[in-house]
Amino acid sequence: MHATDSPDTGSGRAPLWGSLVFGAVAALGSIPWTIATGPFFGRAWTLAGYCLAAVVLYVVAIAPSWSRGIAIGTFAALAGGAVAVLATWPAEAILGAALILSVARSGFLYRAAPVRALLLEAALTIGGLLFACALAGPTLLGSAFAVWAFFLVQSLFFLAGGVAERAPEEPAVDPFERARKQAVVLMEEL
């Protein structure tokens, strides 16, 4: 599911298919989750918690590498925990989950021109939430369709041009240390 073979996600076949599969699995998983935990927390809060957890797993799943996915997934989990504690109603928690996804995806996992990334994330977040609302219904299947709809729209991220993996940041090396290492390499070649 990770896109380690392709550094440019503009063509995005591996992350696109992984995202589509994740959306289907997340939608199906929402049904037993709601059945098992709904009586304890209420259906709306159960789905909000599920959305927060699904976004964390989605961030890990779409990351270009496992190490990056775990690191950014940890950030998303901490942010999701804060949203879960601070949210006053379920819709607020779901909106928080969508915003966490946007920040993690375009802020830490992938890069694009800043204005382009902002517009793309705004369109995907608003479009995903509106499509989810349109398909949501009072039944478990309606909730599953809403989860699927949101992640279906999120999959469009990988079809957008001008998006590439964010290069892992290298630690800052002292220029004198770098010059010393280059000099040692040159001397060893002689």
Side-chain angles (χ1 to χ4, degrees):
M1 194 175 326
H2 289 276
T4 53
D5 350 336
S6 167
D8 179 273
T9 60
S11 60
R13 287 205 170 97
L16 173 65
W17 284 109
S19 182
L20 291 170
V21 168
F22 182 90
V25 171
L28 291 173
S30 71
I31 296 171
W33 175 263
T34 305
I35 291 170
T37 61
F40 301 106
F41 302 107
R43 184 165 176 244
W45 280 108
T46 294
L47 288 172
Y50 184 82
C51 289
L52 284 166
V55 161
V56 170
L57 293 175
Y58 184 70
V59 165
V60 173
I62 65 168
S65 68
W66 282 110
S67 61
R68 191 133 180 126
I70 296 299
I72 305 307
T74 301
F75 158 77
L78 292 173
V83 167
V85 169
L86 297 174
T88 56
W89 67 89
E92 192 176 44
I94 292 171
L95 178 61
L99 293 175
I100 290 168
L101 172 58
S102 295
V103 170
R105 182 171 50 199
S106 285
F108 298 105
L109 295 176
Y110 297 97
R111 64 178 169 77
V115 173
R116 179 183 190 82
L118 183 64
L119 292 174
L120 178 61
E121 289 297 347
L124 292 176
T125 299
I126 293 167
L129 291 172
L130 288 175
F131 192 35
C133 284
L135 291 184
T139 65
L140 292 174
L141 193 55
S143 298
F145 275 131
V147 170
W148 171 78
F150 179 77
F151 285 112
L152 180 65
V153 172
Q154 298 314 303
S155 297
L156 297 175
F157 177 84
F158 297 104
L159 295 178
V163 175
E165 285 181 18
R166 188 170 294 276
E169 296 181 20
E170 296 179 15
V173 177
D174 181 40
F176 292 108
E177 181 64 24
R178 187 177 332 159
R180 185 192 71 76
K181 287 181 180 179
Q182 289 173 345
V184 168
V185 168
L186 287 173
M187 286 191 291
E188 288 176 353
E189 288 180 359
L190 295 176

